[in-house]
Amino acid sequence: MADKKLVEQITSREEDFAQWYTDVVKKAELTDYSSVKGFMVIRPAGYAIWERIQYELDTRFKATGVQNCAMPLLIPQSLLEKESEHVEGFAPEVAWVSYGGSKRLEERLCVRPTSEVLFCDYYSKVVKSYRDLPQLLNQWCSVVRWEKTTRPFLRTREFLWQEGHTVHATAEEAEERTLLMLNIYADVLENELAIPVVKGRKTDKEKFAGAIATYTVEALMHDGQALQCATSHNFGDGFAKAFDVQYLSKENKIEAVHQTSWGITTRTIGALIMVHGDDSGLVIPPRIAPVQVVIVPIQQNKEGVLDKAYALKDELLKAGIRVKVDDSDKTPGFKFADGEVRGIPLRLEIGPKDIEKDQAVLVRRDNREKIVAELSGLTVEVEKLLKAMQKDMYDRALAFQKERTTDAKNLDELVASLDKKPGFVRAMWCGCRDCEDKLKEYSGITSRCIPMEQEEISDSCVVCGKKATKMVYWGRAY
Ligand SMILES: [Zn+2]
């Protein structure tokens, strides 16, 4: 009964998706509310997922020459205000520090909402000649944005992220770096998190404050809403000019650098939950799962059972598989449900009868397939199942995305399609901001991106009917 009750506490996705999300976050012990309004506690199970995501990204960043560093937490008001578009974009959601102890500060300091200006300030001091370029820096930190409504992982006043900031001698190099980092995000999302994405460029309305181009990877959640998973910006030389980040070229000329920034946040965990989770809880793709296999001993008080469980754990560990034994005094039924709610990809059951037959029972979390495996070939079987599950999860998410992507030739089609079957709608656009504003006001639909892979669905803008210039992915978004 215990395990049945545990599962019943999760609202079904079809009944109430928002409540389902909240239930899963709570039951899988990913976050907790804190006494600081709008701020979340990331619990060990949630943080372990973030650490896995961090590892996969950080390894790839470093392979392209990026180094990590740490910038200050606070930004003087005058520094934040140096680039006008940037400050306009962030001013409404900045938190300020006005006192140091009991003394009122001469200049207010904001808690970083992002650190472009700090990196610019630093680069203006260390970049002198073409020999100092490129500079490829990143920091893993948290930032604060004073959001009005908050939800665990998706929107909180403080969130964890990485922000990479690079400066280059030429515009071409900066554009190349912007796209290189976008491709790393897409790679980690698709191949590690099993989340298919649409790669594209943001419209001017949706781009980052101060950027000349913002690229994005967009994913579709199970309720048909889009989620922007990561962005990569090309700043051109706008920030460089505002902050005097200049260098002496080989030709002995003073030139402004060309700059990029790129980031991904703990929102990604929200995406992972909403793409893969089911009515029993979280389902974590094997490659990103902090624990890939949970061993549940059956009748663990019987002689030899726990020893066998630990021996199997050691064997799997040696093969590089992340594994734990649930040797708590709970019933096996409770442990099954607990492993399910936490999304552990594989369950391995081992009891006296199994030991007698030299076998173990393996159960996949995603489709609950049960496999009886001989102990002699256990590691190979586990590796095979983890690999298959990773692929199946990606394939299912991709099939869902495709099924929920439709084309529209006019406004009625677009809105009807999103109301009937929420997802992405591909439709043509004239390039005019008014048309985007109209769509947003009319029904909360936003442009998600101008995809890299363009197609001509029709020749006129889906909103105004004038000549179209681009095909756009539209949707409602988190
Ligand atoms: Zn238009």
Side-chain angles (χ1 to χ4, degrees):
M1 272 319 278
D3 46 315
K4 192 158 181 268
K5 203 174 156 208
L6 188 79
V7 173
E8 274 173 1
Q9 286 167 332
I10 295 177
T11 308
S12 86
R13 286 181 299 177
E14 301 312 317
E15 192 187 325
D16 183 346
F17 193 77
Q19 188 58 47
W20 167 84
Y21 179 81
T22 308
D23 289 350
V24 170
V25 167
K26 191 166 171 235
K27 292 289 155 204
E29 299 185 345
L30 301 180
T31 69
D32 205 349
Y33 296 101
S34 77
S35 297
V36 197
K37 201 167 175 257
F39 289 65
M40 67 174 165
V41 174
I42 303 181
R43 301 183 70 182
Y47 199 77
I49 299 173
W50 181 237
E51 284 180 311
R52 289 281 315 128
I53 295 171
Q54 268 189 311
Y55 171 80
E56 294 299 341
L57 289 164
D58 204 57
T59 310
R60 286 165 172 83
F61 293 165
K62 284 175 179 158
T64 72
V66 171
Q67 291 178 296
N68 287 331
C69 66
M71 287 285 155
L73 168 73
L74 302 174
I75 304 172
Q77 182 166 6
S78 55
L79 193 65
L80 183 73
E81 288 172 351
K82 260 191 169 177
E83 211 286 333
S84 59
E85 261 184 71
H86 185 66
V87 68
E88 257 175 56
F90 281 99
E93 50 187 36
V94 157
W96 292 100
V97 175
S98 305
Y99 284 86
S102 59
K103 193 168 165 276
R104 196 175 176 92
L105 301 175
E106 272 173 34
E107 182 179 11
R108 288 199 300 175
L109 303 166
C110 85
V111 184
R112 64 183 168 211
T114 177
S115 308
E116 270 72 19
V117 300
L118 292 167
F119 276 91
C120 284
D121 190 39
Y122 167 75
Y123 285 142
S124 73
K125 288 167 195 150
V126 299
V127 173
K128 297 205 160 54
S129 105
Y130 68 90
R131 292 186 192 89
D132 301 322
L133 295 172
Q135 294 273 334
L136 311 170
L137 295 182
N138 174 62
Q139 70 171 343
W140 291 94
C141 64
S142 71
V143 289
V144 169
R145 296 179 189 173
W146 217 256
E147 301 282 358
K148 286 189 188 78
T149 54
T150 59
R151 289 185 74 192
F153 294 121
L154 300 175
R155 207 170 281 280
T156 46
R157 287 184 173 167
E158 181 188 22
F159 56 85
L160 305 185
W161 77 344
Q162 60 69 218
E163 48 177 322
H165 299 266
T166 68
V167 286
H168 306 265
T170 66
E172 294 72 33
E173 249 186 69
E175 180 69 5
E176 205 178 291
R177 172 59 61 171
T178 311
L179 293 172
L180 176 67
M181 303 324 277
L182 185 80
N183 286 330
I184 288 179
Y185 292 136
D187 175 25
V188 170
L189 285 159
E190 296 197 321
N191 296 314
E192 305 295 336
L193 289 140
I195 297 175
V197 293
V198 177
K199 277 193 279 185
R201 188 177 166 157
K202 286 282 183 192
T203 62
D204 284 350
K205 176 183 161 76
E206 301 288 336
K207 78 178 183 192
F208 184 80
I212 57 166
T214 290
Y215 296 92
T216 177
V217 276
E218 301 279 328
L220 206 58
M221 305 298 102
H222 188 79
D223 63 346
Q225 291 214 60
L227 190 136
Q228 172 185 303
C229 290
T231 46
S232 187
H233 318 286
N234 184 345
F235 286 135
D237 58 7
F239 274 92
K241 284 180 173 154
F243 287 84
D244 289 326
V245 191
Q246 296 172 327
Y247 70 99
L248 201 59
S249 73
K250 275 183 194 165
E251 292 75 33
N252 238 12
K253 272 175 37 196
I254 302 266
E255 307 266 12
V257 298
H258 298 264
Q259 194 170 339
T260 82
S261 93
W262 25 276
I264 192 167
T265 78
T266 33
R267 261 194 138 198
T268 314
I269 299 173
L272 179 140
I273 298 166
M274 292 193 287
V275 169
H276 299 303
D278 65 17
D279 287 351
S280 302
L282 203 58
V283 185
I284 311 180
R287 291 186 61 89
I288 214 74
V291 178
Q292 296 171 305
V293 180
V294 58
I295 299 177
V296 179
I298 312 293
Q299 294 180 280
Q300 66 183 31
N301 295 329
K302 290 243 166 108
E303 203 191 321
V305 173
L306 272 179
D307 288 343
K308 193 70 195 173
Y310 296 137
L312 292 178
K313 176 190 164 187
D314 288 344
E315 187 189 321
L316 294 175
L317 268 181
K318 259 187 214 143
I321 294 161
R322 298 184 288 276
V323 53
K324 72 164 195 185
V325 177
D326 188 347
D327 53 9
S328 65
D329 63 359
K330 306 260 171 59
T331 65
F334 181 91
K335 294 177 186 180
F336 293 173
D338 188 59
E340 289 204 346
V341 98
R342 291 170 187 276
I344 299 171
L346 269 187
R347 176 169 86 227
L348 191 157
E349 303 166 18
I350 183 93
K353 280 184 198 140
D354 301 309
I355 296 172
E356 222 169 81
K357 292 185 202 159
D358 254 328
Q359 67 178 38
V361 177
L362 294 162
V363 184
R364 266 172 71 158
R365 170 63 182 89
D366 62 330
N367 59 10
R368 296 201 167 71
E369 191 190 341
K370 215 172 201 177
I371 303 103
V372 179
E374 285 179 28
L375 289 185
S376 59
L378 188 70
T379 302
V380 176
E381 186 62 28
V382 166
E383 280 169 341
K384 198 181 94 188
L385 287 171
L386 292 174
K387 212 169 161 186
M389 179 169 160
Q390 180 81 25
K391 183 179 183 300
D392 291 350
M393 286 181 74
Y394 179 79
D395 289 348
R396 268 197 300 273
L398 185 63
F400 177 82
Q401 189 210 73
K402 286 199 168 141
E403 197 252 322
R404 294 295 188 103
T405 303
T406 49
D407 293 353
K409 291 200 173 70
N410 58 54
L411 192 58
D412 288 345
E413 265 181 40
L414 195 159
V415 176
S417 176
L418 276 177
D419 287 345
K420 209 170 71 198
K421 195 160 84 174
F424 287 133
V425 176
R426 308 189 317 160
M428 303 306 288
W429 176 55
C430 63
C432 164
R433 163 104 190 222
D434 282 352
C435 289
E436 276 188 279
D437 288 342
K438 241 180 234 165
L439 254 183
K440 175 130 196 215
E441 268 165 45
Y442 182 60
S443 58
I445 296 165
T446 51
S447 67
R448 303 317 310 153
C449 69
I450 304 162
M452 304 290 192
E453 286 162 34
Q454 283 285 312
E455 260 178 66
E456 198 173 303
I457 290 166
S458 66
D459 51 16
S460 57
C461 173
V462 73
V463 183
C464 68
K466 288 182 191 148
K467 192 176 161 38
T469 55
K470 293 275 188 295
M471 189 261 276
V472 169
Y473 271 72
W474 306 89
R476 295 196 175 97
Y478 279 96

